[in-house]
Amino acid sequence: MDAADRLGEERVDHRFKGLPPDADGLTVGQLAAERRDLFTGGFTTPVLTLSASALEHNLAALEGFAERHGLAFAPHGKTTMAPQLFARQLALGAWGITVAVPHQVRVCRAFGVPRVFLANELVDAAALRWAAAELAADPGFRLVCYVDSVRGVALMEEALAGAARPVDVVVELAAGEGARTGVRTDEQAAQVAAAAAHARSLRLVGVAGYEAQVPDASPATVAAWLRRLVALTADLDKAGLFADADEIVVSAGGSEWFDTVAEVFAEVPELSTPVLKLLRSGAYVSHDHGHYERLTPFNRVPQEGALEPAFRLWAQVVSRPTPGEAFLNAGKRDVSYDLGLPVVHVVRSAADGQVRPASGIAVTALSDQHAWLRTDPGSTPLEVGDWVGLGLAHPCTVFEKWPMIPVVEPDGTVGDYVRTFF
């Protein structure tokens, strides 16, 4: 039974906000089979939706980009934590799934993901022992994670003592001073690589990092850092530190610079063993209105394609206390706000059901369960009871707020539901 089948048998209950109250007790598959209309099928506001067409387009767009540029693709699953989407990404040709913390690896394994790239250091003894048991139980499972310190290598070695199979590790190269994790100098990288290469329970397989942390990031500065990453990989290979690797992993690439990653990774020289050039973008699945809309590499290389915002949060006008303001029943508990406030796109009239583009209406603040709207003179008419469609920024902080998300077809029919596991 695949992920979609297993999730289709899960029963809908009151945890799943936004869904119709009369769906309580149905299985997700039964509810999807009813193909309810989003606006007349009993859904309650606020409700987050995903566009079926945009979702399909985006999933294909990044896999196609990776294939054209000779890149393997391990999309960052921490964005969605949705096994149904993992399954679709793998079916389209993804090498595996990237995650950020141990419990996300466990979700991947619970739904049969065969390869997991943990883009973080892993020094938790309990998680390492679980990983060792998982590797021992399934010869087809592969786990790759970061190391950036000799101390970290020692902790991994201690926790993995006696493991049947080694854990694959890559040295993480920091994007510069003031960046997040990762070694800062080539000397540190060599020390960590040597420690990992000589550890009994680890197998050193490559070098990786996250280019969006490069200070004053630009095509030139990001490319320079990526070339440093490639050069470090070549140096470690020349030193014989990848002797146990079946392939050498070179990995980077979030959702802001995958064009530059493709450009520089095309320059990777021939090494002692085949090279796996691994891209890890994640926010592309839903894209957004705001942060990634501005920063997507497709803006720089439009000939490569484009992404489509797939999220829309529908909330209802519950108060219109003055001509210049209104309040929706959605707030910080429902929408992202760390990279920008929601944007008002459309208004659906409670009187006649017409959906009209929004003009002169803006979100100015959020409370826990309210959005504050400013309405300018001459703005799109807005009455108590109307539904308002909001565009959202930063997918990572949207998906986590919604355990079940309706997938809406262009005519408003809900044909599927995405289940998240945060």
Side-chain angles (χ1 to χ4, degrees), residues 50-68 73-77 79-80 82-94 96-97 279 281-287 298 306-310 399 407 416 418:
L50 281 164
S51 162
S53 58
L55 189 62
E56 189 68 27
H57 170 85
N58 294 344
L59 289 171
L62 251 293
E63 189 60 50
F65 178 88
E67 289 178 1
R68 288 194 300 275
F73 190 28
H76 211 321
T79 297
T80 69
Q84 291 156 278
L85 298 181
F86 296 170
R88 292 174 70 174
Q89 290 166 320
L90 292 169
L92 284 168
I97 299 296
L279 181 70
S281 310
Y284 78 98
V285 173
S286 63
H287 198 41
F298 286 131
L307 297 174
E308 300 174 3
F399 274 104
V407 180
D416 200 2
V418 167

Side-chain angles (χ1 to χ4, degrees), residues 250-381:
V250 181
S251 181
S255 296
E256 298 177 23
W257 296 101
F258 53 74
D259 58 333
T260 309
V261 171
E263 174 190 341
V264 174
F265 278 12
E267 304 168 0
V268 173
E270 184 174 347
L271 300 178
S272 63
T273 193
V275 179
L276 181 74
K277 305 171 185 177
L278 195 61
L279 181 70
R280 308 191 309 268
S281 310
Y284 78 98
V285 173
S286 63
H287 198 41
D288 73 0
H289 286 101
H291 183 78
Y292 291 107
E293 187 177 36
R294 292 189 302 272
L295 298 178
T296 175
F298 286 131
N299 292 338
R300 293 187 292 272
V301 286
Q303 70 276 12
E304 292 274 12
L307 297 174
E308 300 174 3
F311 276 138
R312 177 162 285 172
L313 189 286
W314 288 98
Q316 197 166 27
V317 180
V318 294
S319 180
R320 192 82 160 88
T322 70
E325 61 183 346
F327 291 86
L328 306 180
N329 63 342
K332 294 178 181 178
R333 301 292 180 90
D334 312 298
V335 303
S336 58
Y337 55 91
D338 55 321
L339 296 180
L341 291 173
V343 179
V344 181
H345 283 167
V346 294
V347 175
R348 185 180 189 274
S349 171
D352 59 17
Q354 292 296 309
V355 178
R356 301 177 176 88
S359 63
I361 306 173
V363 177
T364 60
L366 296 172
S367 300
D368 282 351
Q369 302 286 186
H370 289 92
W372 299 53
L373 301 188
R374 183 195 69 240
T375 57
D376 297 334
S379 63
T380 300

Side-chain angles (χ1 to χ4, degrees), residues 2-11 15-16 28 77-86 99-111 396 398-405 417-422:
D2 64 20
D5 290 336
R6 291 173 61 185
L7 293 171
E9 294 185 349
E10 183 172 5
R11 293 199 176 275
R15 294 175 300 166
F16 301 142
V28 175
K78 61 96 175 173
T79 297
T80 69
M81 287 309 297
Q84 291 156 278
L85 298 181
F86 296 170
V99 293
V101 288
H103 80 266
Q104 295 169 352
V105 182
R106 296 181 67 178
V107 171
C108 287
R109 291 303 292 157
F111 288 90
C396 298
V398 177
F399 274 104
E400 68 179 12
K401 298 176 184 296
W402 293 85
M404 187 77 76
I405 306 171
Y417 298 82
V418 167
R419 176 77 163 90
T420 63
F421 288 80
F422 286 93

Side-chain angles (χ1 to χ4, degrees), residues 36 149 173 181 215 230 351 381 401:
R36 299 191 184 197
S149 68
L173 177 65
T181 51
V230 170
K401 298 176 184 296

Side-chain angles (χ1 to χ4, degrees), residues 30-37 409 411-417:
Q30 290 169 335
L31 183 58
E34 291 184 355
R35 296 182 60 79
R36 299 191 184 197
D37 184 273
E409 297 170 9
D411 66 355
T413 300
V414 178
D416 200 2
Y417 298 82

Side-chain angles (χ1 to χ4, degrees), residues 25-277:
L26 296 176
T27 67
V28 175
Q30 290 169 335
L31 183 58
E34 291 184 355
R35 296 182 60 79
R36 299 191 184 197
D37 184 273
L38 178 68
F39 303 109
T40 63
F43 291 87
T44 63
T45 57
V47 57
L48 178 70
T49 65
L50 281 164
S51 162
S53 58
L55 189 62
E56 189 68 27
H57 170 85
N58 294 344
L59 289 171
L62 251 293
E63 189 60 50
F65 178 88
E67 289 178 1
R68 288 194 300 275
H69 291 277
L71 303 173
F73 190 28
H76 211 321
K78 61 96 175 173
T79 297
T80 69
M81 287 309 297
Q84 291 156 278
L85 298 181
F86 296 170
R88 292 174 70 174
Q89 290 166 320
L90 292 169
L92 284 168
W95 172 90
I97 299 296
T98 298
V99 293
V101 288
H103 80 266
Q104 295 169 352
V105 182
R106 296 181 67 178
V107 171
C108 287
R109 291 303 292 157
F111 288 90
V113 176
R115 299 188 189 98
V116 179
F117 188 99
L118 178 59
N120 208 342
E121 283 67 26
L122 177 57
V123 295
D124 183 295
L128 284 162
R129 288 192 290 268
W130 172 85
E134 198 74 8
L135 288 164
D138 183 357
F141 174 45
R142 185 177 185 190
L143 174 66
V144 182
C145 65
Y146 285 172
V147 290
D148 75 348
S149 68
V150 173
R151 169 65 174 164
V153 169
L155 289 171
M156 296 183 78
E157 182 79 324
E158 180 181 351
L160 293 168
R165 292 175 57 197
V167 171
D168 287 349
V169 295
V170 292
V171 175
E172 183 191 8
L173 177 65
E177 292 303 322
R180 244 169 15 197
T181 51
V183 296
R184 264 49 178 176
T185 68
D186 290 355
E187 181 181 4
Q188 289 174 332
Q191 292 171 351
V192 173
H198 292 100
R200 294 181 180 180
S201 300
L202 304 180
R203 182 172 68 160
L204 181 67
V205 299
V207 180
Y210 179 47
E211 72 292 337
Q213 290 268 308
V214 170
D216 301 317
S218 69
T221 59
V222 169
W225 178 82
L226 287 164
R227 291 190 174 98
R228 182 185 169 207
L229 185 147
V230 170
L232 175 60
T233 307
D235 288 345
L236 297 180
D237 185 45
K238 186 176 180 180
L241 295 175
F242 300 130
D244 294 333
D246 298 324
E247 61 186 0
I248 296 173
V249 178
V250 181
S251 181
S255 296
E256 298 177 23
W257 296 101
F258 53 74
D259 58 333
T260 309
V261 171
E263 174 190 341
V264 174
F265 278 12
E267 304 168 0
V268 173
E270 184 174 347
L271 300 178
S272 63
T273 193
V275 179
L276 181 74
K277 305 171 185 177

